[in-house]
Amino acid sequence: MKTMLIALAMMLATQAGADEPRRNALIPAQSKVPTDIWLRMQREGTAASRHPQQLTPAERELALQRWLGSFEHEIPERFEQDMAGRGRR
């Protein structure tokens, strides 16, 4: 957590003075919005752990079964309002 905060602070400090144009026209100009900063950190891997996490064979099997089970439910033509995340009152 501390490493991620330091990386974020360094990115903010670096980008505050970076006025050079972007090389890739498909990526919008640098933004000061925190969400954009976090997404950029994720995309570029600047806050990635140095210790890759690996699933155990049992965890992989459970994830595979959960994924395969998701295909057993039909996607409805339309969602009722309470199905879309709003609770009943």
Side-chain angles (χ1 to χ4, degrees):
M1 180 73 172
K2 184 177 178 182
T3 306
M4 190 167 23
L5 291 174
I6 292 171
L8 178 61
M10 289 175 55
M11 282 185 68
L12 290 172
T14 309
Q15 292 182 9
D19 291 329
E20 73 178 48
R22 299 284 300 203
R23 291 184 179 94
N24 188 343
L26 296 177
I27 300 175
Q30 299 286 341
S31 172
K32 303 294 187 234
V33 179
T35 304
D36 291 341
I37 294 170
W38 283 111
L39 290 172
R40 188 176 321 105
M41 288 174 69
Q42 182 182 16
R43 181 180 63 240
E44 296 171 357
T46 55
S49 172
R50 293 186 184 124
H51 308 287
Q53 299 177 11
Q54 296 194 2
L55 296 174
T56 65
E59 291 169 330
R60 275 195 298 273
E61 181 63 28
L62 287 173
L64 176 63
Q65 293 305 317
R66 193 168 44 246
W67 176 69
L68 289 174
S70 71
F71 292 103
E72 295 176 5
H73 307 286
E74 286 188 35
I75 298 174
E77 287 286 326
R78 62 172 58 166
F79 287 96
E80 299 297 327
Q81 189 170 8
D82 61 326
M83 292 175 66
R86 299 186 84 175
R88 295 181 187 167
R89 293 180 184 205

